[in-house]
């Protein structure tokens, strides 16, 4: 299937300094993210400026996409919208190792947008910065429940640390 973000840049390539705007809303399915964080049936928002240089086209602007995830401590469902600024280079003869190719006076924004959005959506978010998470003993959500095992766990942790200290202070025999 042809990329929905294939842009003809013949005009741009003719004159360094010329500019073209690309503002689109593309269905998330077009990107084949294969990533559970990307929201099915949502729209990816693309607001990019293409600017012709002597040795390529610089693409800069803003990308937005919806995401879903869960708090890494308490597993609460979280969702949001990520916004990211991008600046990427396209070249007909790829010299810059980070540049994307211009093929037959066309450039494809799809892979570039895809890669940048995957970096923009959170990997392991928290519901709140100080989320206490789940009790490791009984599984209670410590944000809403006082389960009573927390003290015991803390005591066990201190006891384990005390044991370590004893080991360290022990003289080595070899
Ligand atoms: Zn949480
Ligand atoms: Zn507990």
């Amino acid at each position: 299937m042809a990329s929905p973000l294939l842009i003809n840049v013949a005009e741009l390539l003719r004159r360094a300094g010329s500019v073209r705007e690309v503002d689109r809303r593309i269905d998330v399915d077009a990107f084949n993210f294969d990533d559970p964080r990307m929201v099915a049936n949502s729209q990816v928002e693309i607001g990019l400026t293409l600017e012709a240089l002597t040795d390529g086209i610089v693409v800069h602007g803003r990308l937005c996409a919806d995401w879903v995830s869960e708090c890494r401590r308490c597993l609460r469902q979280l969702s949001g919208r990520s916004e990211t600024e991008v600046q990427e280079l396209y070249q007909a003869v790829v010299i810059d190792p980070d540049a994307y190719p211009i093929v037959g006076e066309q450039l494809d924004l799809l892979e570039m947008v895809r890669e940048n959005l995957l970096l923009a959506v959170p990997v392991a978010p928290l519901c709140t910065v100080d989320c206490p998470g789940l009790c490791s003993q009984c599984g209670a959500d410590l944000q809403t429940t006082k389960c009573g095992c927390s003290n015991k766990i803390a005591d066990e942790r201190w006891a384990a640390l005390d044991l370590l200290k004893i080991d360290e202070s022990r003289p080595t025999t070899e």
Side-chain angles (χ1 to χ4, degrees), residues 47-67:
L48 296 171
T49 302
L50 280 52
E51 219 173 312
L53 308 175
T54 48
D55 62 344
I57 293 174
V58 67
V59 176
H60 57 90
R62 207 171 52 105
L63 308 172
C64 298
D66 294 324
W67 56 267

Side-chain angles (χ1 to χ4, degrees), residues 89 91 93-100:
L89 181 66
Q91 290 184 316
V93 180
V94 176
I95 298 163
D96 189 311
D98 295 325
Y100 292 86

Side-chain angles (χ1 to χ4, degrees), residues 71 73-76 126-128 131 133 143:
C71 173
R73 290 189 198 146
C74 71
L75 311 179
R76 244 185 210 84
L126 286 172
C127 61
T128 57
C131 171
Q143 209 165 137

Side-chain angles (χ1 to χ4, degrees), residues 6 25-26 46 48-49 57 62 74 85 91 99 101 105 131-133 141 145 149 153 162 164-165 167-169:
L6 206 57
R25 291 173 72 87
I26 307 278
I46 294 157
L48 296 171
T49 302
I57 293 174
R62 207 171 52 105
C74 71
E85 294 284 332
Q91 290 184 316
E105 300 194 315
C131 171
D141 185 341
T145 317
C149 349
I153 289 170
D162 287 343
L164 281 175
K165 278 179 196 148
D167 281 345
E168 278 165 10
S169 59

Side-chain angles (χ1 to χ4, degrees), residues 5-16:
L5 282 171
L6 206 57
I7 313 291
N8 189 304
V9 288
E11 197 74 11
L12 280 182
L13 291 171
R14 238 164 264 147
R15 275 184 305 126

Side-chain angles (χ1 to χ4, degrees), residues 135 138 147 149:
C135 172
C138 71
C147 63
C149 349

